[in-house]
């Protein structure tokens, strides 16, 4: 009963924020982040557009299906992905209803791509779009997905994967700040971050089987900075730290473990932790390490090449001497990595306990989202 009372209070607060003039978007962001998120799809239909500042009074008409599909370079791929998306529809939904929705799903995707030729379709995009379609219906979903695709998802829709990889490079620095042991274990296993790729580019829509959890996360992500999904990915890894550390320290084992996402995650506490980590270690603070992460991935291959060249041109003993020097330098480097200052992490983690209690994370995340929203230029990367 206590829960129901709390829910009623929250619903009332959400409607108060919606009806105030102008709409109290900061309050709506707080509601979307705080426990339970936006509670019902009926509320989401009203609040999600506000979080993305989409004007629902002025939605463009949907184009005719036939002209969308003729000569469309993406049509075949989209069709294939949508046909494979059966499990994204509620179990027990009648076939004809689902098929109708799948046709709408194809239309929304093709429509957004046609209107924005700078965007490139990627596999997994349909997992995000179907979530909006199921919650909002086709007209509203089209408008919101278009806004999202030109902002939050913009980096995934480049012709190359470079920016997506760059975002993935934030994962390890976040883990490092909270738990160096897990970080170093994952580095030793050379597992990389590819296990989190489908989480990131589908906003977890592809990997979570319960639709309620998916929309709860979408409430959270829509209210926050576009990098929040990578913080949430880090929190999932940290939540499983014991399993990770008990794993064989090799790439295949760790990758296998991490890519199977447990379905019974404590979503509310993970959302709250992700919000906290964002406040403690904002992207701007991690940017340097993320760039370094990208750099180290490349260096192994390039030093090997240099080495090969050198050995062709030099007498063996010079090569050996050179190698020995490099080895020493390497050891120095490893030492400096192991002793690198982790921005007074313990102070921060102590503060973190407090921010959870005070819900300060929600406020700070809201603040950063608000600073970010008006510009709506995705300057994730410094």
């Amino acid at each position: 009963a206590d829960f129901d009372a709390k829910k009623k209070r929250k619903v009332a607060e959400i409607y108060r924020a919606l009806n105030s003039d102008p709409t109290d978007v900061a309050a709506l962001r707080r509601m979307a982040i705080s426990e339970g998120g936006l509670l019902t799809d009926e509320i989401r239909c009203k609040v999600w557009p506000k979080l993305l500042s989409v004007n629902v009074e002025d939605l463009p008409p949907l184009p005719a299906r036939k002209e969308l599909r003729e000569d469309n370079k993406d049509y075949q791929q989209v069709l294939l992905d949508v046909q494979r998306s059966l499990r994204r529809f509620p179990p027990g939904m009648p076939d004809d209803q689902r098929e109708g929705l799948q046709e709408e799903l194809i239309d929304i995707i093709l429509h957004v791509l046609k209107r924005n030729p700078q965007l490139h379709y990627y596999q997994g995009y349909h997992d995000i779009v179907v979530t909006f379609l199921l919650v909002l219906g086709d007209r509203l979903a089209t408008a919101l997905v278009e806004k999202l695709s030109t902002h939050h998802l913009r980096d995934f829709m480049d012709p190359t994967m470079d920016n997506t990889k760059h975002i993935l490079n934030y994962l390890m620095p976040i883990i490092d700040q909270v738990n160096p042991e897990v970080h170093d274990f994952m580095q030793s296993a050379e597992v990389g971050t590819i296990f989190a790729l489908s989480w990131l580019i589908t906003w977890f829509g592809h990997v979570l089987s319960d639709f309620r959890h998916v929309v709860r996360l979408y409430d959270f992500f829509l209210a926050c900075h576009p990098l929040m999904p990578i913080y949430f990915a880090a929190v999932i890894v940290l939540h499983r730290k014991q399993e990770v550390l008990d794993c064989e320290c090799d790439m295949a084992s760790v990758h296998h473990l991490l890519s199977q996402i447990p379905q019974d995650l404590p979503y509310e506490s993970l959302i709250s932790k992700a919000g906290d980590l964002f406040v403690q270690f904002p992207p701007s603070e991690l940017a340097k390490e993320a760039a370094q992460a990208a750099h180290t991935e490349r260096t192994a291959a390039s030093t090997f090449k240099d080495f090969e060249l050198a050995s062709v041109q030099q007498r063996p003993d010079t090569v050996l001497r050179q190698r020995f020097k490099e080895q020493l330098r390497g050891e120095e480097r490893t030492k400096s990595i192991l002793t690198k200052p982790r921005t007074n992490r313990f102070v921060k983690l102590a503060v973190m306990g407090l921010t959870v209690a005070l819900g300060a994370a929600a406020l700070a995340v809201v603040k950063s989202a608000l600073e970010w929203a008006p510009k709506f230029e995705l300057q994730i990367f410094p």
Side-chain angles (χ1 to χ4, degrees):
D2 178 43
F3 174 68
D4 285 340
K6 221 158 90 178
K7 211 166 146 176
K8 276 208 181 89
R9 264 205 310 278
K10 187 167 193 181
V11 171
E13 257 182 282
I14 292 172
Y15 278 102
R16 215 175 13 256
L18 276 169
N19 297 326
S20 70
D21 190 18
T23 308
D24 187 349
V25 179
L28 293 175
R29 284 185 196 280
R30 269 201 311 279
M31 302 294 139
I33 294 167
S34 66
E35 193 180 347
L38 295 171
L39 304 169
T40 70
D41 286 356
E42 193 189 343
I43 292 176
R44 290 183 175 102
C45 289
K46 298 185 169 74
V47 176
W48 282 5
K50 302 288 184 204
L51 296 178
L52 286 173
S53 49
V54 166
N55 178 6
V56 292
E57 306 301 310
D58 184 31
L59 298 176
L62 296 175
R65 179 164 290 172
K66 191 165 170 290
E67 64 186 64
L68 260 186
R69 300 186 182 198
E70 273 168 6
D71 314 323
N72 191 311
K73 66 175 171 36
D74 295 301
Y75 176 57
Q76 280 322 110
Q77 184 61 55
V78 173
L79 179 65
L80 281 174
D81 287 348
V82 168
Q83 281 169 344
R84 283 198 297 256
S85 68
L86 288 188
R87 56 175 215 75
R88 291 301 322 276
F89 293 89
M93 177 183 272
D95 286 354
D96 52 344
Q97 190 188 350
R98 190 203 67 244
E99 283 157 16
L101 283 168
Q102 286 179 306
E103 294 298 329
E104 287 175 6
L105 180 54
I106 294 171
D107 290 347
I108 296 174
I109 294 173
L110 296 179
H111 177 61
V112 170
L113 292 170
K114 189 170 181 175
R115 280 173 47 109
N116 302 275
Q118 77 282 14
L119 300 177
H120 295 259
Y121 177 75
Y122 64 87
Q123 276 183 296
Y125 180 67
H126 70 285
D127 278 301
I128 289 188
V129 181
V130 73
T131 307
F132 282 88
L133 174 61
L134 290 171
V135 172
L136 307 169
D138 60 346
R139 260 237 26 232
L140 204 45
T142 305
L144 265 67
V145 164
E146 180 165 16
K147 187 64 168 268
L148 200 68
S149 304
T150 48
H151 298 110
H152 288 65
L153 307 177
R154 180 67 190 84
D155 288 292
F156 309 147
M157 303 192 77
D158 275 345
T160 71
M161 290 274 290
D162 292 349
N163 276 346
T164 306
K165 281 196 198 122
H166 189 103
I167 297 174
L168 277 171
N169 282 330
Y170 277 82
L171 183 70
M172 295 305 283
I174 300 168
I175 292 171
D176 191 26
Q177 293 291 355
V178 183
N179 192 322
E181 190 189 357
V182 170
H183 170 272
D184 295 349
F185 181 89
M186 288 171 71
Q187 291 288 62
S188 306
E190 296 183 350
V191 64
T193 51
I194 279 304
F195 66 85
L197 177 66
S198 69
W199 305 357
L200 181 68
I201 63 176
T202 67
W203 275 14
F204 297 85
H206 185 70
V207 291
L208 298 179
S209 50
D210 188 331
F211 192 69
R212 286 170 323 179
H213 296 151
V214 177
V215 290
R216 170 63 189 105
L217 280 180
Y218 280 39
D219 293 341
F220 177 47
F221 295 153
L222 287 170
C224 291
H225 186 286
L227 274 180
M228 191 53 87
I230 201 70
Y231 281 79
F232 194 76
V235 166
I236 290 181
V237 175
L238 290 161
H239 171 70
R240 305 182 67 194
K241 58 180 179 278
Q242 210 40 60
E243 285 173 87
V244 173
L245 295 172
D246 291 343
C247 197
E248 289 291 311
C249 188
D250 65 70
M251 185 190 156
S253 314
V254 182
H255 179 83
H256 179 74
L257 172 79
L258 287 174
S259 50
Q260 308 292 318
I261 205 166
Q263 296 295 325
D264 57 346
L265 294 166
Y267 292 92
E268 293 302 333
S269 78
L270 294 183
I271 284 171
S272 150
K273 281 201 181 83
D276 270 339
L277 288 182
F278 186 92
V279 179
Q280 307 286 339
F281 314 111
S284 53
E285 248 185 60
L286 300 173
K288 205 162 80 228
E289 280 140 40
Q292 267 166 349
H295 182 65
T296 44
E297 272 166 30
R298 281 201 303 275
T299 48
S302 59
T303 45
F304 182 71
K305 273 221 169 30
D306 300 343
F307 180 73
E308 268 183 331
L309 279 174
S311 43
V312 175
Q313 296 156 354
Q314 293 177 347
R315 294 201 317 281
D317 58 350
T318 350
V319 174
L320 284 173
R321 264 209 305 279
Q322 184 68 29
R323 262 177 92 165
F324 182 64
K325 274 216 295 264
E326 274 178 17
Q327 201 180 341
L328 280 178
R329 270 213 303 277
E331 282 167 11
E332 292 282 87
R333 204 169 58 235
T334 323
K335 254 205 302 252
S336 72
I337 289 175
L338 291 177
T339 52
K340 65 177 183 283
R342 292 185 160 102
T343 43
N344 53 9
R345 202 173 69 253
F346 296 103
V347 179
K348 290 203 159 173
L349 292 177
V351 175
M352 188 153 41
L354 294 174
T355 57
V356 175
L358 302 174
L363 295 172
V365 172
V366 166
K367 203 173 93 246
S368 72
L370 292 178
E371 282 161 11
W372 167 79
K375 295 194 280 296
F376 255 144
E377 283 306 318
L378 236 195
Q379 292 157 329
I380 291 191
F381 309 125

